Amino acid sequence: MAGDKKLIIGNWKMNLGVHESSLHLHKLADSVKTHRNVEVVLAPTMLALQTLSLQVNHRQFKLAAQNFYWRDHGAYTGEVSATQLRGIVSYGLVGHSERRHVFHESDKDTRAKVQAAIRNGIRPVLCVGETASERAAGETRDVLHDQLIGGLANITSDELPEVIVAYEPVWAIGTGNNALPTDVTEAIVSIRSQLKHLYGAKAANAVQVLYGGSVTADSAADYLALHEVDGLLVGGASLDAHAFTTIVEKAFQSAKGDA
Ligand code: 13P
């Protein structure tokens, strides 16, 4: 694992309007404790980012964009750039499986976005993961390899520690069919060894690697207990203030154990 700090990201996806997002933030602000060893990041709808950035206690929560375009400015109707998100978010998701599979984002897109995030002082969270059929065909390792190489091709070893990798097997997202801890360990060991191969041990060991896919308040501790896992990317359970608060507490307990 990288460092002694756990990272918990709540991806609200296309849920909650601006007002509801503010209310959810208020609830979380009341219940989530601030811990030195846990960084808690919220990824609301793009529409609510500005409002939440004014309301949020930045010591308690950081904000993330769920998506952004890789060019900085210009005639790109409907897009929002990392440059425009500068100062509002600290993190940006890149290559989430829903972006890859619903919106057909390619490795070329993820590569440009990872680079745009770094260029704009935003930490990219590069999501990688195999589909059920790729897994059944024994292709998991190759898929992870291609998505890592594809997403990181323009990144130097000096920049690499700014990147976070999230292992999100597509078959585990939103299905309740969460990966077994042994599967997660195997995949993250493979991710880390590919990073070492590309960048050397020092830079690779500095990269935080998260797990995401049907994480609940009940299953969170099993993943956080794994030495390879530096945190969690939580979808559905991040919309439930009680569940998300419990997940942050589990992260605190596991970070304490590592310290
Ligand atoms: P769920 O936790 O709802 O499976 O979503 C995971 C995810 O996609 C987080 O980005």
Side-chain angles (χ1 to χ4, degrees):
M1 69 171 275
D4 63 352
K5 203 161 178 166
K6 300 278 175 177
L7 180 59
I8 304 294
I9 306 179
N11 177 7
W12 300 358
K13 305 194 179 181
M14 201 175 70
N15 296 293
L16 310 182
V18 176
H19 183 59
E20 293 164 316
S21 295
S22 284
L23 292 177
H24 193 45
L25 172 66
H26 273 293
K27 266 202 213 163
L28 294 173
D30 286 343
S31 63
V32 174
K33 291 205 192 81
T34 302
H35 300 293
R36 193 180 53 80
N37 288 342
V38 186
E39 171 117 317
V40 185
V41 181
L42 307 176
T45 166
M46 184 81 82
L47 210 55
L49 278 173
Q50 168 93 51
T51 311
L52 264 55
S53 79
L54 299 173
Q55 290 173 345
V56 76
N57 170 353
H58 292 270
R59 289 213 323 271
Q60 187 176 25
F61 301 119
K62 302 282 190 284
L63 294 175
Q66 296 177 17
N67 181 40
F68 54 90
Y69 188 49
W70 58 270
R71 292 201 191 261
D72 289 344
H73 312 275
Y76 303 102
T77 301
E79 294 297 323
V80 174
S81 70
T83 307
Q84 292 172 312
L85 289 162
R86 235 189 140 104
I88 297 177
V89 301
S90 311
Y91 296 83
L93 304 187
V94 177
H96 190 281
S97 82
E98 288 143 22
R99 304 282 336 154
R100 292 180 192 265
H101 296 284
V102 184
F103 300 100
H104 309 293
E105 275 190 13
S106 65
D107 286 330
K108 197 160 157 259
D109 297 316
T110 64
R111 175 182 319 163
K113 289 184 178 193
V114 167
Q115 200 179 21
I118 300 266
R119 183 168 73 236
N120 285 286
I122 294 169
R123 296 190 67 188
V125 182
L126 176 65
C127 304
V128 297
E130 80 287 1
T131 62
S133 58
E134 288 163 344
R135 185 172 192 82
E139 292 167 4
T140 299
R141 214 186 140 81
D142 291 343
V143 170
L144 297 178
H145 183 252
D146 290 351
Q147 291 179 345
L148 282 174
I149 298 230
L152 297 174
N154 295 334
I155 296 303
T156 66
S157 54
D158 284 347
E159 291 167 332
L160 187 72
E162 286 304 304
V163 177
I164 293 146
V165 175
Y167 171 57
E168 292 211 310
V170 179
W171 48 271
I173 296 177
T175 58
N177 183 17
N178 52 316
L180 294 173
T182 48
D183 294 336
V184 175
T185 300
E186 196 181 325
I188 296 186
V189 165
S190 159
I191 288 170
R192 185 86 64 195
S193 86
Q194 285 163 8
L195 291 176
K196 280 186 188 151
H197 183 68
L198 293 169
Y199 290 98
K202 186 159 176 271
N205 286 336
V207 176
Q208 288 171 292
V209 185
L210 316 181
Y211 168 70
S214 295
V215 172
T216 63
D218 288 336
S219 66
D222 293 342
Y223 299 112
L224 290 163
L226 301 173
H227 175 71
E228 290 75 13
V229 170
D230 297 308
L232 299 170
L233 180 49
V234 184
S238 70
L239 297 170
D240 175 333
H242 179 69
F244 192 66
T245 303
T246 307
I247 292 170
V248 173
E249 273 317 290
K250 299 265 160 93
F252 169 59
Q253 282 154 18
S254 76
K256 240 183 5 183
D258 290 337

